Amino acid sequence: MDGEDKLKTAKWTRADVDALMSMPFAELVFRAAEVHREFFDPNEVQASRLLSIKTGGCPEDCGYCSQSAKFDTGLEASKLMDREAVVAEAKRAKEEGASRFCMGAAWRSPKDRDMAELCAMVGEVKALGLETCMTLGMLSESQANQLSDAGLDYYNHNIDTSPEYYGNIITTRTFEDRIDTLEKVRASGMKVCCGGIVGMGEAPEDRVGFLLALANMTPPPESVPINALMPIEGTPLGASEPVGALDFVRMIAVARILMPTSFVRLSAGREAMSAETQALSFLAGANSIFVGDELLTTANPGQTRDAEMFEALGVRLI
Ligand code: SAM
Ligand code: DTB
Ligand code: SF4
């Protein structure tokens, strides 16, 4: 496809996204809430549970990450967890109300020799009646196909920010490398989970470029995690200013309007967020969260605090 054809198939232009981003807040949230109701029950929120199956010692240099071996964050590295321990955690997640179990590994990419074990893990977690998701770094075509054949429902691989800002955050791989893996995941038949982080010092135009890149994927990712940076001491972004609540909600609302049928996940950052900011995010179209008291290496609100909030909001976790 040449450049002109590509432009014709692009559903959204930068001007469209600019216009949404600069709308008055109430108007934007109202529109997002309308779109949300067209495709989803606004009183239902999907619940995923994360587990770090291989922690720390990662060769990549993502400037936000506690798990990069390039930064001294005090995190202890560990090997790939035993399958039985992973399955036990998945069981617990299911009992606590999660419908999807997301397994994350601090790798640049998985080793071919680990694939059989990873595929067996997928099979056993799925057999519990959970949806499965993995995030293991870059994949070869054969690795994507093996995971898909094992029944993996979703693969998470974030673009993190705009193509233009990417090199300021990560130097050990390119934005194109990310797209390359995402294409292999899509071609393998798995569903795509792809989003990014706000609060890394990006300019307003980078937030636009980030959402535009997601929305113009064909098709857009089925699951779109929007993370607020969890600042990690020892990383280059450890002293970043938190994103304002209204700016965060604006990102959720624009994501909802651009990708009406996707699950938009209010992801990392809920620990430091008030129930009111989270409520505004759900009003603006967020309809998925991570449950449990831990994400991969950082804290999350946990069952008691969440149960209280969802009870007050009349929201059902699905
Ligand atoms: N190593 C794999 C990779 O990077 O593709 C998978 C694990 S990685 C931890 C998954 C995603 O978590 C990252 O792409 C990033 O968007 C998010 N993440 C990591 N550290 C974060 C932080 N401190 N705050 C917010 N999001 C973070
Ligand atoms: C995503 O977008 N957020 C999750 C998941 N995909 C893998 C990870 C959040 C990690 C937050 C920092 C930590 O706990 O280490
Ligand atoms: Fe490694 Fe993933 Fe962390 Fe980057 S985000 S340093 S690839 S674990």
Side-chain angles (χ1 to χ4, degrees):
M1 195 188 306
D2 68 19
E4 210 184 331
D5 283 340
K6 227 175 193 164
L7 276 180
K8 272 189 218 145
T9 57
K11 287 164 296 202
W12 300 97
T13 64
R14 184 167 278 272
D16 294 332
V17 185
D18 276 337
L20 289 170
M21 278 291 197
S22 49
M23 270 171 89
F25 185 81
E27 181 67 23
L28 174 66
V29 172
F30 179 74
R31 291 245 200 129
E34 277 185 328
V35 171
H36 189 190
R37 274 155 182 73
E38 263 180 57
F39 296 97
F40 293 100
D41 177 338
N43 303 311
E44 285 183 355
V45 169
Q46 188 277 329
S48 293
R49 180 70 158 96
L50 277 165
L51 177 68
S52 180
I53 60 170
K54 195 273 161 206
T55 305
C58 184
E60 304 270 21
D61 70 351
C62 312
Y64 47 76
C65 189
S66 62
Q67 306 200 68
S68 167
K70 316 257 185 204
F71 318 128
D72 183 7
T73 64
L75 188 79
E76 210 179 303
S78 60
K79 306 190 296 184
L80 180 61
M81 277 174 73
D82 285 338
R83 201 191 319 159
E84 302 78 77
V86 173
V87 174
E89 288 296 327
K91 239 180 228 156
R92 196 163 67 97
K94 182 159 192 204
E95 282 158 15
E96 291 180 3
S99 60
R100 188 179 310 159
F101 194 61
C102 309
M103 295 159 267
W107 285 324
R108 174 171 167 84
S109 51
K111 302 250 179 335
D112 282 338
R113 62 164 187 269
D114 288 324
M115 292 311 295
E117 181 60 15
L118 293 164
C119 290
M121 250 176 218
V122 171
E124 290 191 26
V125 172
K126 227 178 142 70
L128 299 172
L130 284 159
E131 285 187 309
T132 50
C133 177
M134 278 183 167
T135 180
L136 315 167
M138 295 186 253
L139 297 181
S140 67
E141 187 183 337
S142 148
Q143 290 173 334
N145 291 337
Q146 288 173 64
L147 292 169
S148 178
D149 291 347
L152 187 64
D153 297 294
Y154 287 82
Y155 194 77
N156 165 256
H157 202 63
N158 287 346
I159 58 168
D160 278 336
T161 188
S162 69
E164 295 77 21
Y165 197 60
Y166 199 80
N168 295 76
I169 305 297
I170 300 148
T171 69
T172 49
R173 56 168 191 256
T174 64
F175 192 87
E176 267 310 308
D177 291 330
R178 290 312 253 190
I179 300 296
D180 187 55
T181 291
L182 287 164
E183 283 172 353
K184 289 171 184 156
V185 170
R186 182 56 83 195
S188 78
M190 289 188 282
K191 291 185 200 150
V192 171
C193 173
C194 182
I197 307 179
V198 283
M200 302 192 294
E202 69 282 353
E205 58 266 29
D206 293 311
R207 294 188 183 166
V208 170
F210 160 62
L211 291 177
L212 188 61
L214 290 172
N216 281 335
M217 289 179 185
T218 41
E222 284 80 4
S223 164
V224 179
I226 306 290
N227 298 278
L229 177 73
M230 303 286 282
I232 312 280
E233 224 182 290
T235 64
L237 295 172
S240 306
E241 282 296 308
V243 202
L246 298 186
D247 285 343
F248 186 83
V249 174
R250 199 175 272 282
M251 288 297 284
I252 298 274
V254 176
R256 166 53 63 221
I257 294 170
L258 296 176
M259 294 169 278
T261 61
S262 303
F263 280 84
V264 175
R265 182 173 310 118
L266 170 53
S267 302
R270 291 202 303 118
E271 176 68 8
M273 239 176 237
S274 68
E276 291 80 359
T277 301
Q278 294 183 61
L280 260 184
S281 300
F282 299 130
L283 181 62
N287 61 348
S288 174
I289 55 163
F290 288 121
V291 293
D293 54 10
E294 206 179 18
L295 295 167
L296 290 173
T297 68
T298 63
N300 198 46
Q303 220 183 5
T304 314
R305 211 176 120 193
D306 276 347
E308 203 176 296
M309 175 176 73
F310 288 122
E311 163 81 26
L313 295 176
V315 161
R316 287 180 303 281
L317 283 183
I318 58 166

